[in-house]
Amino acid sequence: MLLYAITDRSQLHAPLLDRVVLLLHAGVDYLQIREKDLPGRELLALLDAVLSLPNPHGTKVLVNERVDVALAAGAHGVHLPAQAVAPSRIRATAPAGFVIGVSCHRLDEVDRAEAEGADLAVFGPVFDTPSKRVYGPPVGVDALEQAARGRRIPVLALGGITLENFQLCRGAAGIASISLFQGAEDPAGVCRVLRGGL
């Protein structure tokens, strides 16, 4: 069960780094810094701060889209939109072990991400969620199961996932979310529940 936490400081009432500390200690596998509005220099400073924090579980820190900033900061990887440059092209200049995730909303996008060398795909929105309505109606659990079936790379469920519905995400290799992790009073407890139930 892979756990993939995504940040969005606009949803927080406390400093982002305070929440990141909790997420790193909770033991999520991946932490995507998704502060899309930050200029490169500020994003780099944020990443430097995140990467300097204690990371007791070896959480991999990924940067949203900005390959240049990820490489400059020494982050563990990058997360790309579905129509971005092929992961195979990034690998030509990235260090060994650099993680490349891709957001996918359709089956053919998962096909492409896998064929082009992504390490993982995040698929959704599985359930309705306000932040993902721009991508259209939720794809649903059947589409998720189809997208994940027989893959060489893990496909993680994203979108509207709660502790009440995550067990419906059949076939998924894990769960990706902003609110489920970032909004939790006890992220470590959330991780324990998720790892015990899919």
Side-chain angles (χ1 to χ4, degrees), residues 2 8 11 24 35 37 52 62 72 93 98 112 143 155-156 191:
L2 296 173
D8 181 354
Q11 297 185 21
L24 293 175
E35 307 307 315
D37 62 313
S52 71
L62 278 58
T93 56
F98 192 74
R112 178 175 177 246
V155 175
L156 283 65
C191 291

Side-chain angles (χ1 to χ4, degrees), residues 63-104:
V63 185
N64 193 73
E65 281 193 70
R66 295 294 301 268
V67 179
D68 57 337
V69 175
L71 293 173
H76 302 104
V78 69
H79 190 87
L80 304 172
Q83 305 306 319
V85 62
S88 56
R89 292 186 61 188
I90 295 172
R91 294 211 187 281
T93 56
F98 192 74
V99 177
I100 303 175
V102 178
S103 286
C104 301

Side-chain angles (χ1 to χ4, degrees), residues 16-190:
L16 175 58
L17 285 178
D18 290 354
R19 177 52 49 167
V20 168
V21 167
L22 291 177
L23 293 171
L24 293 175
H25 281 83
V28 295
D29 299 286
Y30 299 95
L31 175 64
Q32 179 190 339
I33 304 300
R34 189 185 174 270
E35 307 307 315
K36 294 184 174 184
D37 62 313
L38 284 183
R41 184 172 296 179
E42 292 180 34
L43 181 59
L44 180 59
L46 172 61
L47 275 168
D48 286 342
V50 169
L51 293 167
S52 71
L53 293 170
N55 188 353
H57 300 282
T59 298
K60 295 190 181 303
V61 178
L62 278 58
V63 185
N64 193 73
E65 281 193 70
R66 295 294 301 268
V67 179
D68 57 337
V69 175
L71 293 173
H76 302 104
V78 69
H79 190 87
L80 304 172
Q83 305 306 319
V85 62
S88 56
R89 292 186 61 188
I90 295 172
R91 294 211 187 281
T93 56
F98 192 74
V99 177
I100 303 175
V102 178
S103 286
C104 301
H105 312 289
R106 303 190 314 264
L107 183 59
D108 64 300
E109 292 176 346
V110 182
D111 292 340
R112 178 175 177 246
E114 183 176 54
E116 292 182 345
D119 293 295
L120 60 91
V122 172
F123 186 76
V126 177
F127 305 105
D128 182 56
T129 179
S131 67
K132 297 296 181 184
R133 285 176 186 154
V134 65
Y135 300 110
V139 296
V141 293
D142 292 339
L144 169 65
E145 187 173 21
Q146 183 181 5
R149 187 181 301 128
R151 295 289 176 188
R152 297 188 308 275
I153 63 171
V155 175
L156 283 65
L158 171 74
I161 298 170
T162 67
L163 292 181
E164 290 69 44
N165 66 20
F166 80 94
Q167 291 180 314
L168 299 174
C169 296
R170 300 180 305 272
I175 301 296
S177 179
I178 296 174
S179 59
L180 185 58
F181 298 109
Q182 184 178 267
E185 288 187 19
D186 177 18
V190 169

